[in-house]
């Protein structure tokens, strides 16, 4: 289990994931959760802090507190996305974003799509320094990605558990999706709703997919990526039908992807006819004086939990 939790990954993957997460935090402040700033206009009596807020004795948010958190977090998240001072900036962004979420979720509604993102922010500072395109492997970075992956899958599995715990079997056969379509459905959802029993079948399918989501850890790399692609397609359909995005969850789910292969700056340099910078491709798992394994350098895929060899 320890070997699986710390499966080494290319540092370039960690660097790319770090950039994705911190850029999303900046985007979240101005696109997805700018409404948090309006909480200061709500009477303080309506502020019921989450358990962590009560344990930390956090004060009722004021206009000054929220403004400081917003601007500090926006600037620091953009700086952290560059990969500089990964521990100092990482821990600071984690603390500020946690407070941002405590303020957001302490007025009666808690969104479970933030869990994976919060875990990613908590573990990324432990991954250490990493450069884009670096194929050197790191166990610390592998642990950070693996823990985030576990959080992503727990979001699915525990969502199904909550559905069955609080809704029982009636959740499967009831009118959950029908009510969601009435409240916030699109034209596409209206077409789907006209098909007899299709919404009931969809509800059974949602719970089945959430309960079976841990299977992703037992698949070989190619099938694992295919299953993650299915996860993304599920959310694409959700957005297209009932306009629920789960954007923070989708950002955290990039921990499953070989992000080191996505090099927009290198691609832009090639389009401009400029040579791409050469990056050392030395495997830190290799013995001194030996050549790195070409398969491990080129693929960089994590081995599945059941012990199948890495690679396609």
């Amino acid at each position: 289990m320890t070997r699986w939790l710390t499966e080494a990954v290319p540092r370039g993957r960690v660097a790319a994931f770090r950039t994705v997460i911190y850029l999303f935090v900046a985007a979240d402040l101005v696109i997805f959760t700018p409404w948090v700033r309006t909480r200061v206009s709500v009477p303080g009596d309506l502020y019921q802090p989450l358990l962590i807020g009560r344990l930390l004795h956090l004060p009722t948010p004021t206009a000054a507190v929220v403004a400081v958190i917003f601007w500090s977090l926006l600037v620091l998240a953009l700086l952290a996305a560059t990969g500089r001072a990964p521990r100092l900036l990482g821990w600071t962004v984690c603390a500020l974003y946690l407070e941002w979420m405590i303020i957001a979720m302490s007025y009666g509604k808690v969104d479970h799509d933030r869990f994976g993102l919060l875990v990613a922010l908590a573990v990324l500072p432990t991954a250490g320094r990493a450069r884009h395109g670096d194929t050197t492997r790191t166990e610390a970075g592998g642990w950070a990605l693996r823990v985030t992956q576990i959080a992503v899958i727990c979001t699915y599995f525990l969502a199904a558990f909550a559905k069955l715990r609080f809704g029982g079997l009636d959740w499967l056969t009831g009118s959950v999706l029908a009510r969601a379509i009435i409240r916030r459905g699109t034209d596409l959802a209206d077409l789907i709703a006209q098909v007899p029993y299709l919404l009931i079948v969809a509800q059974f399918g949602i719970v089945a997919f959430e309960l079976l989501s841990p299977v992703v850890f037992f698949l070989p790399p190619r099938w694992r990526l295919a299953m993650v692609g299915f996860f993304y397609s599920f959310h694409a359909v959700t957005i297209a039908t009932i306009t629920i995005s789960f954007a923070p969850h989708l950002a955290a789910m990039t921990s499953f992807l070989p992000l080191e292969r996505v090099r927009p700056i290198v691609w832009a340099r090639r389009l401009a006819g400029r040579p791409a910078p050469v990056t050392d491709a030395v495997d830190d798992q290799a013995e001194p004086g030996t050549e790195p394994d070409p398969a491990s350098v080129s693929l960089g895929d994590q081995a599945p939990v059941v012990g199948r060899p890495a690679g396609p």
Side-chain angles (χ1 to χ4, degrees):
M1 178 59 74
T2 301
R3 182 178 179 182
W4 176 72
L5 284 172
T6 59
E7 187 77 35
V9 299
R11 294 183 187 275
R13 183 178 305 182
V14 177
F17 181 66
R18 175 180 286 149
T19 298
V20 168
I21 292 300
Y22 290 132
L23 287 181
F24 177 82
V25 168
D28 186 46
L29 295 174
V30 298
I31 298 175
F32 300 107
T33 59
W35 48 266
V36 176
R37 302 179 70 183
T38 66
R39 288 291 187 255
V40 297
S41 62
V42 177
D45 294 341
L46 298 179
Y47 176 71
Q48 301 294 327
L50 302 175
L51 175 61
I52 186 173
R54 298 195 299 271
L55 292 176
L56 296 176
H57 302 287
L58 297 176
T60 300
T62 63
V65 169
V66 173
V68 169
I69 293 174
F70 176 86
W71 290 109
S72 299
L73 187 54
L74 182 61
V75 172
L76 293 176
L78 292 174
L79 289 175
T82 66
R84 298 181 181 277
R87 290 182 176 84
L88 176 62
L89 290 176
W91 290 122
T92 305
V93 170
C94 178
L96 289 174
Y97 190 77
L98 177 61
E99 170 62 2
W100 186 256
M101 285 294 98
I102 292 173
I103 295 173
M105 306 302 169
S106 293
Y107 291 86
K109 181 177 181 292
V110 179
D111 297 329
H112 67 286
D113 63 342
R114 305 274 162 175
F115 179 59
L117 178 64
L118 286 169
V119 170
L121 291 173
V123 298
L124 271 175
T126 69
R129 294 187 177 275
R131 291 189 307 166
H132 287 271
D134 189 353
T135 57
T136 304
R137 290 176 171 267
T138 166
E139 290 186 352
W143 180 83
L145 291 179
R146 185 70 81 194
V147 171
T148 304
Q149 292 170 2
I150 293 173
V152 168
I153 298 305
C154 283
T155 301
Y156 288 131
F157 188 83
L158 295 178
F161 177 77
K163 291 179 178 69
L164 297 177
R165 177 188 177 190
F166 297 105
L169 296 179
D170 289 340
W171 197 98
L172 300 171
T173 59
S175 55
V176 177
L177 290 181
R179 290 198 300 269
I181 290 174
I182 292 173
R183 289 179 55 211
R184 52 192 306 163
T186 63
D187 292 338
L188 175 60
D190 292 338
L191 292 175
I192 294 174
Q194 297 175 21
V195 181
Y197 301 107
L198 182 57
L199 296 184
I200 300 297
V201 172
Q203 287 168 186
F204 273 91
I206 289 172
V207 172
F209 131 70
E210 290 176 337
L211 289 175
L212 293 173
S213 58
V215 172
V216 71
F217 291 122
F218 295 86
L219 298 175
R222 285 186 177 178
W223 286 103
R224 187 186 313 134
L225 289 178
M227 190 167 183
V228 172
F230 169 77
F231 293 164
Y232 277 107
S233 66
F234 167 78
H235 289 288
V237 172
T238 303
I239 295 172
T241 53
I242 54 178
T243 62
I244 298 178
S245 70
F246 280 83
H249 179 79
L250 300 182
M253 196 156 62
T254 59
S255 58
F256 281 99
L257 305 179
L259 295 176
E260 71 277 11
R261 302 179 188 178
V262 182
R263 305 292 306 281
I265 296 178
V266 173
W267 297 343
R269 292 173 66 95
R270 288 175 179 171
L271 289 175
R274 300 171 61 187
V278 178
T279 304
D280 293 332
V282 179
D283 191 339
D284 63 359
Q285 298 282 309
E287 294 293 331
T290 61
E291 292 295 328
D293 181 5
S296 64
V297 171
S298 61
L299 293 175
D301 286 313
Q302 300 179 35
V305 63
V306 294
R308 296 187 181 93

